[in-house]
Amino acid sequence: MSIDNFNYITNQIFPHGLGTRIALLINAIAYSKFENKEFIFTPFSHQNTAGEFDANPMTRRIDYLEACNRWDTLLNLDGKLITDIPDNELGTVLALCHTSIKNSPPQGHEGYLMINKVRGLRGEIRDEFFKIPPKKEDGKLKVSVHIRRDDIIGMKSRFIGNGYYIETIGLLEEFLIGNNSEYELTIYTQRNGFDVSGFEKHKIIYDTDMSDNDVWVNLVNSDIIIASNSAFSTSVGLLTDGVFIHPQVDNFPLMDDWLYGSELTQDKLIEKLNINKIL
């Protein structure tokens, strides 16, 4: 169906983790801009029918709706919402979602996952559609490490051992210390399933210490992010102005301005820090 048949674009309700939902939201916003269509929010907490989240095994968690309400506070919901559209006009709304589920984008819109194009719009998207608290400046570089554990342990294709993070942190710190850079390094991870060995000297914030949406804000506002193989990290990489280091080149479509930990070198790191004017 042609884009001309639609007046609006929105983010479809997707029964999944909030990291995936916010990544898909960002892509839907970008698609609306490239197609010159008005974007309207479907709040994360919105359910088409009462108890919709309880009926899906991915969202059948006691705290899921509470989490959705928290994440809604990061969205600029002052404009038009899906609930403002009359029932007889809902057919003019293109709801975009993940291409792997039954409610995939209509034929002809599979390419709405804008990937690299999103990065060029990140400042505009942040300012117009999000309410992200500003970064706190204290003269130190903010280095954040997102280590995904707990529920990702059973997903062999996405699991990364601690050795990768320790090696990447070491490479980064070797340069920062040699450059006499003042920095603050914080590790964000899940308490369940995390082995602290090798990270003892670093500040660690567990999921029991801080809400997931506050962690996300801190990651977006970081100068350097060492990410995990997760949608949560990926969504940060779509919006941050910081240097984003993704673990592997084959886990996500290649991004022109990301670094990849599996092939990271001091030279590549220094070049990127200079390009981003972080040094």
Side-chain angles (χ1 to χ4, degrees):
M1 187 179 296
S2 169
I3 190 69
D4 295 333
N5 295 93
F6 301 99
N7 297 328
Y8 310 99
I9 289 177
T10 193
N11 52 302
Q12 193 173 58
I13 297 174
F14 183 53
H16 215 283
L18 274 302
T20 297
R21 293 188 70 180
I22 203 159
L24 295 171
L25 165 66
I26 294 166
N27 279 292
I29 292 171
Y31 190 67
S32 72
K33 287 189 168 294
F34 276 94
E35 293 294 348
N36 197 28
K37 295 292 180 178
E38 183 178 356
F39 182 83
I40 57 174
F41 273 112
T42 297
F44 291 134
S45 57
H46 177 71
Q47 301 179 78
N48 286 325
T49 57
E52 182 176 359
F53 293 151
D54 295 333
N56 190 291
M58 283 295 296
T59 55
R60 196 184 298 143
R61 294 184 292 136
I62 293 175
D63 64 342
Y64 188 76
L65 185 56
E66 178 186 341
C68 289
N69 283 318
R70 284 201 316 271
W71 281 83
D72 279 346
T73 64
L74 296 179
L75 308 179
N76 184 5
L77 300 178
D78 296 336
K80 192 175 294 184
L81 308 179
I82 188 66
T83 50
D84 296 322
I85 306 299
D87 289 347
N88 62 350
E89 293 183 22
L90 288 176
T92 68
V93 180
L94 173 61
L96 291 172
C97 198
H98 202 290
T99 55
S100 66
I101 66 171
K102 292 181 179 179
N103 294 323
S104 56
Q107 188 175 3
H109 303 286
E110 294 85 355
Y112 92 93
L113 292 173
M114 307 300 290
I115 312 302
N116 276 299
K117 294 179 180 179
V118 173
R119 293 288 294 153
L121 294 169
R122 64 185 183 275
E124 186 178 342
I125 291 173
R126 281 198 314 266
D127 294 344
E128 187 176 347
F129 295 96
F130 286 84
K131 293 181 177 179
I132 300 176
K135 173 185 173 183
K136 296 178 181 178
E137 301 286 356
D138 61 5
K140 295 181 181 179
L141 289 177
K142 296 295 184 293
V143 180
S144 294
V145 184
H146 179 228
I147 301 178
R148 185 69 183 270
R149 285 296 177 263
D150 193 17
D151 62 334
I152 208 170
I153 288 177
M155 304 176 72
K156 298 298 183 183
S157 64
R158 292 169 59 187
F159 178 80
I160 299 174
N162 284 356
Y164 160 74
Y165 295 101
I166 293 170
E167 182 179 345
T168 305
I169 290 170
L171 180 69
L172 177 61
E173 287 196 303
E174 180 183 349
F175 168 73
L176 293 176
I177 293 171
N179 193 57
N180 294 318
S181 300
E182 284 194 86
Y183 66 95
E184 180 181 84
L185 191 149
T186 304
I187 295 170
Y188 298 92
T189 189
Q190 292 148 298
R191 188 179 296 276
N192 188 23
F194 183 67
D195 181 1
V196 74
S197 302
F199 301 104
E200 291 90 348
K201 72 172 184 176
H202 301 298
K203 179 180 179 182
I204 300 175
I205 293 180
Y206 292 106
D207 56 340
T208 52
D209 302 326
M210 181 181 290
S211 67
D212 52 0
N213 55 301
D214 284 337
V215 169
W216 187 83
V217 168
N218 286 355
L219 291 173
V220 169
N221 283 335
S222 296
D223 297 297
I224 303 171
I225 303 104
I226 299 175
S228 66
N229 263 344
S230 70
F232 189 94
S233 275
T234 297
S235 64
V236 170
L238 294 178
L239 284 191
T240 185
D241 285 332
V243 171
F244 188 78
I245 305 173
H246 194 272
Q248 298 168 294
V249 297
D250 58 351
N251 183 259
F252 189 78
L254 284 175
M255 300 288 278
D256 293 339
D257 66 343
W258 286 4
L259 292 176
Y260 290 89
S262 55
E263 53 184 36
L264 188 64
T265 65
Q266 284 258 338
D267 288 342
K268 288 182 179 179
L269 180 61
I270 293 169
E271 179 184 10
K272 185 59 179 170
L273 289 168
N274 281 313
I275 290 173
N276 284 45
K277 299 179 180 178
I278 288 177
L279 292 180

